[in-house]
Every structure is written in C-alpha cells, then in structure tokens.
Amino acid sequence: MNNRCVVIGVSGGVAVYKALEVISRLRKKDIEVRVIMTESAQKFVTPLSFQSLSQNMVTTDMFDEPKAWEIQHISLAKKADLMLVLPATANIIGKVANGIADDMLSTTIMATKAPVVFAPAMNTNMYENPIVQNNIEKLKSFGYEFIEPASGRLACGDEGKGKLADVEDIYEFVLKILYKTSDLEGKKVLITAGPTISPIDPVRFITNRSTGKMGYAIAEEARNRGAEVTLISGPTNIKPPYGVKIIKISTNEEMKNEVLKYFDETDIVIKSAAVADYKTLTYSEQKIKKGEGNLNLEFTRDSDILSILGEKKTSQILVGFAAESNNLEENATRKLIKKNLDLIVGNDITAKETGFGSDDNKVIFISKTGEKTVLDKMSKLEVAKKLFDEIIKIKG
C-alpha cells in the first residue's frame, strides 16, 4: 500500500489529538499524509506534532509565503487521493454545505476532485441540531462521505451521540475508500471465523486454538471489494471490521443454525472457522465435582456444517479450509471432493511462523478443477486478497 496521498483537514475540537493516531497508522502503511490545520485546531495541538508524525510540513494559513511556486490549496487538492476532515466540527460542515471557502481547509475541500470524508465530533445537542443534520444530508446528497460519530460521554460531560468514531473504524474506512475495488459489488459474502466450543458443564468446555484472525481478514477484504458481508464468529478477542455484519455464536449448533439462515441468499460462502467436530455425549447441568479418580468423558460426532452446505448448495461458491498437521495437499484434496467444494485453502498448523495465532499464513489453494496455487508466507490480509482473486476466477 503505497503511492497514495491522504490530505487530512484538522478543525478545532477536543478530538484533535485523535487525528495524530490516524496519521500514525496511515504512515505505517507507507501512505503519504499532508495536513491542513485551521486556526482553532492549533489551539488544541501544535502543528509541530502533526509535522513530526506526517513527516511533511503542515499548512496553516492560505497567505503563508509558499515553499515552492504553487498555489497551495490547488496543489494539495490535486495531490489528494482522499481528503479526511478529522475532527469535522459543525462549523466546517456548515461552511462546505453552504459553499463558503474562507480558509485553507474549506478552499481545498472545494477545489479537490478526490473523495472527501467527514468524521464529525461535537456536542450531542449540536450534532442533533436540525441545521447541522440538514447540512450533513445536503453534503451526502453531493457524494461526500460521513463516518458516523459514536455515542458516549463527551468532553463537556454530556452523554449522547457526537463522540468521534473509534480511531480503528476511521482508519479502516479510509483504507476501504482508498483501495476500493468493486469486483464484489452487489454480492453477498458469508464468512465463518474463530473456534466453536463444546460445553461439558456450566463451567467447563473444550475448544481449539483458532484465533479467528484469518476469517476476520477475509471479511475485511470482502468489504473492501464492495461485498455485503456477514461474519459469523466464534469467541475471539478481535474487533470486527468496520461495515461488516457480525453474528456472535459459541457452539457448533449455533453456527450451523446461523449459516443455514443466510445460506440460500448468499453468493459466496467461506468456511474458515475451526468448528468443533465432537461434543460431549451428555452435558451436565450441574458443575462436575472433583473426585478422587480420573474424569472420563464420552464424546460424539457433532454436525459437519461444511458437508451440509456442500449437499445443499445450488449456485453458491463454497470455499473450505483444511488445517492439517501432515499430508497437507492429499488431505485437503480429499476434503475438497468429499464436501463438494469449489475451492479449498490448505494450511500447515504445525508451522512455527504461520500456525495458530500468527499474523501470517502460508497456504495452498486447490480448486475443484485441480488447479493448485502455492503461496509463500504473507500476511493473512494478503492471503485474503489472493483468495478473492481465485474466487473471482471461478465466478468468471
């Protein structure tokens, strides 16, 4: 992710400091960041802080002597692949909505042809004011994007909507627009992720070591490509990607019920969850007390969700995962055929650098036509990109 430029317009509000976090994340992706600060924004955080993180000079005044022979608001407007107004106060929203261009930020917004995203942050009464809401709706009708503010305790002590959206959500929203492709536009994608659990008693259960990282990366990539994404997830510690419908489940049975609820209306189904294959034959309603001897439990097979979907599928593209500790290619191919899949992703769970919990993966794709693609170690998000490239080929 490089050769992109985001121009961030910082207007005056208590949430100004959060713009620094967003800049830091963007720079880590090698995205160029240019900053424009309004006069009031400089009362909260100095331009030097933004200069240090963005590694570029900060523009603060339309009438500063230019560092090069160029009209700055025009050059920044042309340079931008995306403009982000963060935080966006009622003042800057109102200016743009009514065609007022009286400072560096408002004139640059007027001059750019890049997508413009506003991240509002203000007192809840201001945000709910009909004038502000009318200005927001007016800008939306012109194609400007808005990141909805969160609800919570505001700096003024009030409770309500108006708090700046979470930094991670803002960052993901920017990436979604900056690198958006539309090859899944209008498609519904269903993804399962994480482990499931099999309860033993009210206290104990068995599960596996899946963290859900791969499935969540797949959901993020599907969203970036324009799909309508539903993510059915077992217990994880990962925040769901912005703009993805999340359904939390615990057991095999719960996952099966949710998957079947959405399956018929889905175009692409990717079963990356590590679903428990076995459950206890009998569940104890009371906590099993510790005895003197060993505790013996009897297990029975649980539902094979992927096989059910393979039998049920009509026009859906069905993708499975094979987490293997030996004979990876052979076992993955057998699973592909047995469960009537269109594509299977095989990975070696014994690999030290790409096993459970890793941010990276090393996989093989095998299609139902027998084509094989081996990927070297790469981030799980990169694997997700390659996966959808393969799916697009199947989809034609």
Side-chain angles (χ1 to χ4, degrees):
M1 290 188 180
N2 50 20
N3 302 322
R4 294 290 196 277
C5 176
V6 175
V7 175
I8 297 184
V10 185
S11 61
V14 177
V16 165
Y17 72 95
K18 290 193 175 181
L20 294 168
E21 296 182 55
V22 175
I23 291 170
S24 177
R25 288 173 182 248
L26 293 174
R27 289 298 300 129
K28 287 175 182 175
K29 289 287 186 182
D30 291 327
I31 295 169
E32 182 182 1
V33 177
R34 299 282 180 157
V35 179
I36 302 170
M37 296 184 73
T38 64
E39 185 178 350
S40 56
Q42 297 169 62
K43 306 293 184 184
F44 292 92
V45 179
T46 67
L48 183 60
S49 298
F50 286 94
Q51 181 180 314
S52 299
L53 283 178
S54 68
Q55 299 173 319
N56 279 310
M57 297 298 296
V58 174
T59 304
T60 58
D61 189 340
M62 277 190 70
F63 302 104
D64 277 345
E65 185 177 336
K67 304 295 185 293
W69 182 245
E70 57 184 14
I71 301 172
Q72 262 190 309
H73 68 282
I74 299 299
S75 65
L76 285 174
K78 288 181 177 179
K79 186 181 288 287
D81 292 296
L82 179 145
M83 273 202 74
L84 172 65
V85 186
L86 166 69
T89 59
N91 184 58
I92 189 64
I93 291 170
K95 278 184 180 182
V96 180
N98 291 281
I100 298 171
D102 63 352
D103 63 5
M104 189 64 186
L105 178 54
S106 54
T107 52
T108 305
I109 293 171
M110 295 292 184
T112 191
K113 291 188 176 181
V116 178
V117 178
F118 290 89
M122 64 194 78
N123 172 269
T124 187
N125 293 329
M126 292 178 68
Y127 182 72
E128 293 172 356
N129 187 294
I131 298 172
V132 175
Q133 287 301 310
N134 183 65
N135 286 335
I136 290 173
E137 290 306 314
K138 185 177 179 181
L139 288 173
K140 285 181 178 179
S141 73
F142 290 138
Y144 291 91
E145 300 258 15
F146 280 78
I147 303 174
E148 286 292 308
S151 295
R153 182 179 173 83
L154 306 175
C156 60
D158 288 351
E159 292 274 349
K161 194 170 186 178
K163 185 178 180 181
L164 187 72
D166 186 80
V167 166
E168 183 67 21
D169 289 343
I170 295 171
Y171 168 71
E172 286 196 15
F173 195 99
V174 168
L175 293 188
K176 175 185 174 182
I177 295 176
L178 205 56
Y179 295 97
K180 184 176 181 180
T181 55
S182 56
D183 52 11
L184 291 179
E185 198 79 47
K187 298 299 181 182
K188 293 183 178 180
V189 177
L190 177 64
I191 299 157
T192 66
T196 62
I197 67 171
S198 176
I200 296 171
D201 63 18
V203 177
R204 305 176 181 90
F205 59 84
I206 61 168
T207 188
N208 57 63
R209 295 173 59 196
S210 172
T211 61
K213 287 182 178 181
M214 189 67 248
Y216 278 60
I218 294 169
E220 183 179 338
E221 177 62 16
R223 177 210 64 192
N224 288 349
R225 290 181 182 239
E228 180 183 330
V229 184
T230 300
L231 176 61
I232 300 174
S233 174
T236 74
N237 294 317
I238 309 173
K239 183 178 178 183
Y242 184 85
V244 167
K245 180 177 181 180
I246 181 76
I247 299 170
K248 293 294 186 86
I249 57 87
S250 294
T251 65
N252 176 309
E253 185 73 12
E254 290 170 352
M255 180 169 282
K256 181 185 75 173
N257 292 340
E258 291 297 333
V259 167
L260 291 176
K261 188 185 298 182
Y262 292 92
F263 184 69
D264 289 340
E265 60 186 43
T266 299
D267 299 293
I268 301 167
V269 180
I270 302 173
K271 289 286 283 96
S272 64
V275 183
D277 296 316
Y278 293 89
K279 62 182 177 181
T280 52
L281 187 60
T282 57
Y283 171 76
S284 174
E285 296 289 346
Q286 304 297 323
K287 178 184 174 183
I288 300 171
K289 303 300 290 182
K290 181 170 63 177
E292 293 298 325
N294 296 329
L295 173 64
N296 295 314
L297 297 172
E298 188 174 356
F299 291 90
T300 184
R301 283 293 304 270
D302 212 336
S303 299
D304 188 334
I305 302 173
L306 196 53
S307 288
I308 293 171
L309 299 183
E311 293 172 3
K312 187 178 173 61
K313 78 168 183 169
T314 52
S315 60
Q316 296 92 342
I317 292 175
L318 184 58
V319 180
F321 272 66
E324 303 292 343
S325 57
N326 65 300
N327 300 328
L328 174 60
E329 192 173 319
E330 179 185 337
N331 288 332
T333 302
R334 187 181 298 114
K335 185 174 182 178
L336 170 80
I337 297 168
K338 182 179 179 181
K339 304 199 178 184
N340 191 27
L341 308 180
D342 296 286
L343 183 70
I344 195 159
V345 183
N347 65 300
D348 182 355
I349 59 174
T350 65
K352 291 182 180 180
E353 295 183 337
T354 57
F356 285 118
S358 171
D359 291 328
D360 300 316
N361 212 342
K362 183 178 180 180
V363 304
I364 180 172
F365 298 145
I366 305 174
S367 73
K368 66 179 179 181
T369 58
E371 294 179 37
K372 299 171 186 176
T373 304
V374 179
L375 301 183
D376 289 329
K377 176 186 170 184
M378 60 182 65
S379 73
K380 288 182 174 176
L381 189 55
E382 288 298 319
V383 172
K385 291 178 190 295
K386 300 289 187 183
L387 173 59
F388 278 108
D389 290 344
E390 292 294 318
I391 291 171
I392 295 300
K393 289 180 189 175
I394 297 170
K395 190 166 71 71

